[in-house]
Amino acid sequence: MIPKKIKNLCLPLVCCLALALVLFQMPSQCHAFDIEIDVSPNVLNIQSNSTIVTVHTDIAYSLVVGASVFLNGVAIDWWKSDDRGNFVAKFVSDEIKTLNGLIIGDYNTLTLTGFTTVPEAFIGTQDIMVIDVQPSGTGGK
């Protein structure tokens, strides 16, 4: 037989446990830390034959979950470490050239997002010029 004191504690204990589980499952607000990025090319020509847009960062390669990285919603194609050990992201140029909302002849903000192995979100932005010019020597007159 269970003593009366223990029976009286069961309901409040179960309620507290249930409340704690609900609170821990609630989504928390995510705040990303800022990183510096350098987009290459920094002038994106829609008419060029380029195949890759490269984003150099100042975050250590070993800290980044490569598959979590996106540039304006475009998934990363591949990644590597630079000679200083920083993360470098590579994106398919045609996917960047066809982003919705690009303004030709003006600066456009590219935003790199991703997660570290901790996991913690990071974000970096850079404005690049977007142009639509037929490259010389490609048959244009």
Side-chain angles (χ1 to χ4, degrees):
M1 179 157 187
I2 301 174
K4 190 173 184 178
K5 273 187 172 181
I6 294 177
K7 278 185 178 180
N8 289 340
L9 288 176
C10 282
L11 184 58
L13 183 60
V14 169
C15 288
C16 285
L17 254 162
L19 182 60
L21 286 173
V22 168
L23 290 176
F24 285 123
Q25 295 299 319
M26 293 178 81
S28 61
Q29 210 170 17
C30 181
H31 296 285
F33 67 90
D34 291 329
I35 64 167
E36 294 292 321
I37 66 169
D38 186 26
V39 178
S40 179
N42 63 2
V43 176
L44 183 63
N45 186 356
I46 300 300
Q47 295 287 327
S48 76
N49 293 325
S50 66
T51 58
I52 297 292
V53 171
T54 302
V55 182
H56 297 269
T57 73
D58 67 348
I59 188 172
Y61 176 83
S62 61
L63 293 178
V64 178
V65 177
S68 73
V69 177
F70 289 82
L71 185 64
N72 285 51
V74 174
I76 193 168
D77 189 46
W78 61 283
W79 56 93
K80 68 176 195 152
S81 172
D82 67 12
D83 58 357
R84 292 183 290 188
N86 289 335
F87 186 81
V88 178
K90 304 282 189 167
F91 298 87
V92 175
S93 189
D94 286 342
E95 292 181 25
I96 304 304
K97 290 176 184 178
T98 57
L99 283 170
N100 286 333
L102 283 183
I103 302 168
I104 307 299
D106 203 354
Y107 285 94
N108 292 260
T109 301
L110 294 184
T111 302
L112 185 83
T113 59
F115 287 93
T116 65
T117 56
V118 173
E120 189 174 7
F122 61 85
I123 187 169
T125 61
Q126 182 183 352
D127 291 338
I128 66 163
M129 176 63 76
V130 177
I131 61 174
D132 187 4
V133 176
Q134 182 70 34
S136 59
T138 59
K141 292 185 180 185

